[in-house]
Amino acid sequence: MDAGTRRARRVCLATALSSAILLSATGCSPELRPLAAVYVDQRGTVQALLRSCDDDGRIASPWLHGTVVRPSGEASSDDAEDPAPEASATEQPWIGWDSRGVHKAADFPLFTPPPSWAAETRGPRTPQPGHRYELGFADPDDSYVYNGTVTFDARRLAEVPPGEVLTLHGTMTREAFEDLAAEAC
């Protein structure tokens, strides 16, 4: 192997290692923690439970976003006439609500966030077929540390047995959720 080949290999190796280090340092996502749950109460109202790891019970920027789920390969009639690049998750139109700022964690009807949150609301106030929902919030001090989330659709929510809640880790009793949330912190 001549000197030019050895040099080229060293440059490639150095570039690959630098890229790996850069990606590992900047590619961090917040840890997903089981701090959010949903269930349907005896009256048929969907309820939200949000738990905080903050000593003061604070959460940041809570949201409920429902987006249309389209089976892969399926195009709408509008797509055929007006092809557009696929939107990212943050660009997709959503229904639900979104709140900015830091708030106290709370239990509340899912589609009616506490008035003090001054949430922007969009669309229907009940789970819609064909939509996937994410309820979540971020760490109040550093949104890159953790998120409390739960993801579901209307069918999955309807399957939650009475007396249980749906969490990031599936269905469980409310007591088990409270224990799991405490352990997650």
Side-chain angles (χ1 to χ4, degrees), residues 43-161:
R43 297 176 315 230
T45 303
V46 183
Q47 298 289 322
L49 307 173
L50 302 180
R51 300 297 176 259
S52 173
C53 286
D54 181 70
D55 289 338
D56 296 324
R58 301 173 310 143
I59 59 174
S61 304
W63 72 87
L64 172 68
H65 288 179
T67 54
V68 174
V69 177
R70 187 178 298 160
S72 59
E74 181 182 302
S76 71
S77 59
D78 294 340
D79 292 341
E81 295 171 9
D82 185 19
E86 217 171 285
S88 74
T90 57
E91 296 169 336
Q92 286 184 354
W94 55 268
I95 60 175
W97 52 266
D98 193 79
S99 179
R100 300 287 178 230
V102 176
H103 309 284
K104 286 284 192 183
D107 299 352
F108 55 92
L110 179 65
F111 289 91
T112 309
S116 64
W117 292 6
E120 172 191 352
T121 59
R122 297 182 186 177
R125 301 300 202 95
T126 58
Q128 299 298 298
H131 283 73
R132 176 171 295 133
Y133 291 89
E134 180 180 45
L135 171 65
F137 63 88
D139 177 327
D141 296 317
D142 184 349
S143 63
Y144 291 102
V145 174
Y146 72 85
N147 282 349
T149 63
V150 60
T151 304
F152 59 95
D153 59 22
R155 180 193 54 77
R156 180 69 178 108
L157 190 58
E159 293 173 350
V160 175

Side-chain angles (χ1 to χ4, degrees), residues 8-22:
R9 285 187 175 182
R10 282 194 306 268
V11 168
C12 286
L13 181 59
T15 301
L17 287 171
S18 297
S19 296
I21 291 168
L22 180 62

Side-chain angles (χ1 to χ4, degrees), residues 1-11:
M1 190 174 349
D2 68 4
T5 303
R6 283 193 301 267
R7 183 176 184 281
R9 285 187 175 182
R10 282 194 306 268
V11 168

Side-chain angles (χ1 to χ4, degrees), residues 13-33:
L13 181 59
T15 301
L17 287 171
S18 297
S19 296
I21 291 168
L22 180 62
L23 285 174
S24 68
T26 60
C28 296
S29 294
E31 178 186 355
L32 296 180
R33 295 185 183 175

